[in-house]
Amino acid sequence: MTASTIWPPRTDAAQLEDLVLTVTRSGDDRKLRSVHAPYSDEEIGSVPDCTGEDVELAISRARNAQEEWAARDVSERATILTRYHDMVLSRQDELLDVMQLESGKARRDALEEVLDVANNARHYATRAEGYLADEKRKGGFPVLTKARQHRHPVGVVGVISPWNYPLTLAVSDAIPALLAGNSVVLKPAEETPFTALLAVKLLREAGVPPNVFQVVTGSGKELGPPLIDNVDFVQFTGSTKTGRRVAKRAGKNLVPSSLELGGKNPMVVFDDADLKWAVDGAIRGCFTNAGQLCLSFERLYAQSGIYEQFRDELVNRTRSLHLAASYDHDPEVGSLMGKQQLARVRTHVDDAVEKGAKLLTGGRHRPDLGPYFYEPTILEGVTDEMLVAHEETFGPVVTLRSFRSDEEAISLANDSEYGLNAAVWTGDTDRGHDVARKIECGTVNLNDPYTAAWGSVDAPMGGMKQSGLGRRHGDEGFLKYTQTQTVAEQRFHPIAPPRRVPMRLYAKGMSAILKLMRRIPGLR
Ligand code: ADP
C-alpha cells in the first residue's frame, strides 16, 4: 500500500483535526503527539500531549457536571444511550474507517467492536432503572426495624484503555458508568486516540453533556497518576505490568479499581468434538485481530485420537487465510499494531524455533503487505524453557500439543499464571460443563472461542489469577460504578437494653430472640 492510498474512503486529515476539538485542554499552546497508520507507518495526524494540569482540569469540570447529570431521571440517561446505540450502528462506516486507519486491524475485527458497543448500550440502557431502584431490606428485628438500600453514583470514573480494541475498551465500560449517573474522563491509548475522540463526538451528539464525558490524550505514564489520584473509580484494561502499577496507586488512595489484564488462554479439543467447527473456532480464537486480543488463544490442546487430523486441517485453513491492508470486509487478518508488537512476535517465534520447536506454518514477517504484517503461526513441540510457552505473545502465534485424558487437559489448561478466557470443544455437554468448571479462567466458552461468553453481556466477564481484578458486564459491570447506602428506621423501641432492665436479663432476652429467629425461617 502506498502513501496516497492509506486513507479510508470517509476519513481525511481535516476530519481528524476536527475531532481534536473534543479534547479537554487547559490552554492552546500544548505540545502535540503524532499518530501513525500501521498499514503504511505514515503520520495521519496529531493530538494534544496533555499534561497533569489538563487531567486535573478535566476532572474538576467532570465533578461539577456530574451532579446535574445524576439528578436527571434515569430514563432520560437511558434514552440518550439508546440513541447512541442507534447512531453507532447507523454511522458504523465512519467508526470502522477510523479504527482501521489507526490500528491497522481487519475491517471484520473492527466490526466486532461496533456490535459490542451497541450490545452494551442496549443491555445497560434497558436495565439501568432496575439497578438503581431503591430496595427494601430486612430490618435487624422484624417489625421494629425497617431498612432500605439506595444506590448512588461513585462520582467521576476514570477509564484507561489500550490500543487493541480502541472503540470497545474505551466506550463499553463507560456506558454503565454514565447510566449510573457518573461522569467519565477517558485516557485512550497513545496509539489510537482518534477512535475514542470520534466515539465521544457521537456520545455528545446523542445528548451526553460535554463535561460529563471528556478525553485527555497523551502518555499513560504522565497522565495515569494524576487521573488515578483524582477520580472516584478506575476502570483499566491493559497489560498485567501496568495494571499492577494502577492498582497500587489506586489502593494508596483507597480508590476502587477494576482491571482486565493479560492472558495466555488455552483451548481444549476433545476426541468427540465436531472437528470442522473446532478448526473454525481455533482460527477465530487464535487469529482474530491478528491475535492482539486479550481473549485469544495462544495454547491449543487436542486429544490424541483426533490430534493429527485436527492439526492438519488447522494448518491448511491457516495457510489459506487472506491477509491484506484493505478497507473492505474481505481480508481475514490485518496488521500488527507497530514496531514493538512485531518485535515481540518475532522474538517469541525465533526463540521457540532456535530451541527446537517445529514451525507448522507461518513464522514470517510480511513487509510486502505492510510494515507490520506477520503470518499466522502454529508451533508444535514447544517446551517450558521457550518464551512462547508461558509469556503472552499478543500476536498471531499459537502452540499446539496433544493430551490423553480429561485430567491432563485440565492440568495443562491451568498451567499458567493467567486465567482470563478458555474454550472447550466436545460433543458431550455434561463433560464440557464439568471440565469448564475446573478451568481457572474467568470465562470459559463451550464450542465457541470467545463470542459466546463475551457477547453474553448479562453475565460477568474478567480474569482470575494474574488476569485481573473485578468484572465488566453483568450486574457487577454496572453496580461497581455505584455505592450503596443503607437507611434503617427504628420504630417503637431502640435495639438497646430498656431502662431499668438488668443487663443479665437483657442478654437472656436477646439470646432467646436470636434463637427464635434461627428456628423460624420467615424471621431470618
Ligand atoms: P500495552 O502494553 O497494551 O500498551 P499498557 O498496559 O502499557 O498496555 O497500556 C494500556 C493503557 O495504560 C494505555 O492507555 C497506556 O497509556 C496506559 N498506561 C501506561 N502506563 C500507565 C501508568 N503508569 N498509569 C496509568 N496508565 C498507564
Side-chain angles (χ1 to χ4, degrees):
M1 217 168 240
T2 62
S4 57
T5 58
I6 62 157
W7 290 90
R10 276 156 295 259
T11 317
D12 59 31
Q15 275 164 301
L16 295 187
E17 216 168 286
D18 194 40
L19 291 177
V20 167
L21 298 175
T22 52
V23 178
T24 306
R25 291 184 288 169
S26 58
D28 283 333
D29 53 349
R30 291 277 156 253
K31 279 197 299 192
L32 295 176
R33 170 180 277 275
S34 56
V35 180
H36 290 80
Y39 278 172
S40 64
D41 215 13
E42 281 165 288
E43 185 175 333
I44 53 171
S46 51
V47 292
D49 199 8
C50 291
T51 60
E53 220 173 275
D54 297 317
V55 171
E56 282 166 20
L57 177 74
I59 295 172
S60 82
R61 285 179 182 165
R63 214 168 271 298
N64 290 336
Q66 188 260 331
E67 213 171 301
E68 187 274 326
W69 177 244
R72 294 191 194 188
D73 196 276
V74 57
S75 63
E76 200 183 320
R77 295 197 295 271
T79 303
I80 291 173
L81 271 300
T82 305
R83 197 177 302 136
Y84 185 64
H85 162 279
D86 297 345
M87 283 170 69
V88 164
L89 292 178
S90 64
R91 291 171 64 178
Q92 61 181 273
D93 280 327
E94 280 173 61
L95 286 161
L96 295 178
D97 285 349
V98 175
M99 260 188 275
Q100 279 199 280
L101 178 64
E102 66 179 358
S103 77
K105 59 173 65 197
R107 199 165 188 84
R108 60 181 63 198
D109 297 331
L111 178 67
E112 288 198 347
E113 299 203 51
V114 165
L115 303 179
D116 177 72
V117 168
N119 199 26
N120 274 280
R122 186 210 65 252
H123 175 77
Y124 282 121
T126 313
R127 280 162 183 74
E129 195 160 352
Y131 283 136
L132 294 176
D134 289 350
E135 279 179 56
K136 263 190 173 166
R137 292 281 162 189
K138 272 199 168 142
F141 280 96
V143 189
L144 281 188
T145 322
K146 278 168 69 177
R148 189 176 276 274
Q149 173 192 302
H150 304 292
R151 285 197 180 274
H152 299 289
V154 291
V156 182
V157 172
V159 176
I160 302 176
S161 58
W163 48 261
N164 62 326
Y165 279 75
L167 179 65
T168 280
L169 299 173
V171 178
S172 286
D173 290 317
I175 288 169
L178 289 171
L179 282 161
N182 299 286
S183 50
V184 173
V185 175
L186 166 68
K187 208 306 280 173
E190 290 84 331
E191 297 86 345
T192 53
F194 288 117
T195 304
L197 296 178
L198 177 56
V200 170
K201 182 172 175 245
L202 296 188
L203 270 173
R204 293 183 182 175
E205 282 179 38
V208 174
N211 288 341
V212 168
F213 199 129
Q214 296 169 81
V215 186
V216 283
T217 49
S219 142
K221 262 193 204 131
E222 291 269 321
L223 307 186
L227 185 82
I228 298 164
D229 287 350
N230 290 287
V231 293
D232 305 299
F233 188 98
V234 182
Q235 171 63 43
F236 173 84
T237 311
S239 63
T240 297
K241 191 169 144 224
T242 307
R244 274 205 187 92
R245 276 202 197 116
V246 170
K248 194 169 163 194
R249 185 110 192 174
K252 206 177 89 200
N253 299 327
L254 293 182
V255 168
S257 59
S258 183
L259 317 161
E260 206 236 71
L261 309 175
K264 186 80 188 171
N265 306 305
M267 167 166 156
V268 173
V269 187
F270 286 110
D271 280 348
D272 60 359
D274 178 324
L275 269 202
K276 200 180 149 312
W277 205 9
V279 168
D280 284 349
I283 294 283
R284 279 206 298 131
C286 301
F287 305 129
T288 288
N289 214 36
Q292 303 166 116
L293 163 64
C294 47
L295 305 172
S296 70
F297 304 121
E298 298 196 355
R299 299 181 291 142
L300 285 182
Y301 302 112
Q303 201 160 13
S304 43
I306 46 97
Y307 180 80
E308 272 141 37
Q309 195 189 343
F310 176 78
R311 177 192 62 195
D312 296 347
E313 284 183 28
L314 180 66
V315 168
N316 282 340
R317 281 274 284 115
T318 303
R319 282 194 183 129
S320 70
L321 284 171
H322 176 198
L323 281 65
S326 151
Y327 289 96
D328 65 45
H329 281 284
D330 292 337
E332 292 166 287
V333 183
S335 172
L336 291 173
M337 181 68 224
K339 216 176 268 165
Q340 247 182 319
Q341 221 39 50
L342 176 66
R344 187 173 176 83
V345 168
R346 292 178 95 165
T347 304
H348 277 204
V349 174
D350 295 350
D351 169 78
V353 172
E354 257 166 46
K355 291 176 180 159
K358 187 170 169 193
L359 192 60
L360 296 178
T361 184
R364 283 192 309 161
H365 175 209
R366 291 290 302 273
D368 53 317
L369 302 174
Y372 305 117
F373 274 78
Y374 194 90
E375 284 180 352
T377 301
I378 307 175
L379 293 163
E380 197 182 40
V382 166
T383 50
D384 265 352
E385 68 279 8
M386 300 175 188
L387 294 172
V388 78
H390 297 288
E391 279 188 22
E392 184 179 36
T393 309
F394 217 59
V397 180
V398 68
T399 65
L400 178 62
R401 89 171 251 188
S402 73
F403 67 89
R404 291 187 176 279
S405 64
D406 292 21
E407 290 67 36
E408 190 186 358
I410 293 163
S411 138
L412 287 168
N414 289 338
D415 181 21
S416 171
E417 58 173 336
Y418 294 110
L420 192 57
N421 183 48
V424 176
W425 297 75
T426 171
D428 177 347
T429 312
D430 290 341
R431 180 192 202 183
H433 280 280
D434 181 51
V435 170
R437 285 176 69 99
K438 293 172 182 155
I439 292 182
E440 297 156 352
C441 284
T443 48
V444 184
N445 300 266
L446 297 186
N447 298 325
D448 188 78
Y450 61 87
T451 339
W454 178 272
S456 301
V457 286
D458 195 32
M461 190 276 137
M464 293 184 181
K465 304 199 270 191
Q466 300 296 301
S467 290
L469 277 182
R471 297 287 182 266
R472 56 164 57 100
H473 297 171
D475 298 351
E476 289 158 88
F478 188 99
L479 298 179
K480 67 185 178 185
Y481 297 125
T482 66
Q483 37 188 346
T484 50
Q485 178 190 42
T486 298
V487 177
E489 177 192 346
Q490 190 63 16
R491 307 190 307 165
F492 316 126
H493 198 282
I495 309 173
R499 247 193 276 163
R500 287 193 291 275
V501 172
M503 268 317 283
R504 194 177 292 276
L505 202 63
Y506 176 72
K508 256 192 175 165
M510 288 299 279
S511 305
I513 292 172
L514 285 172
K515 281 182 190 164
L516 195 69
M517 284 172 73
R518 185 169 88 71
R519 263 191 234 118
I520 303 175
L523 295 180
R524 276 176 212 156

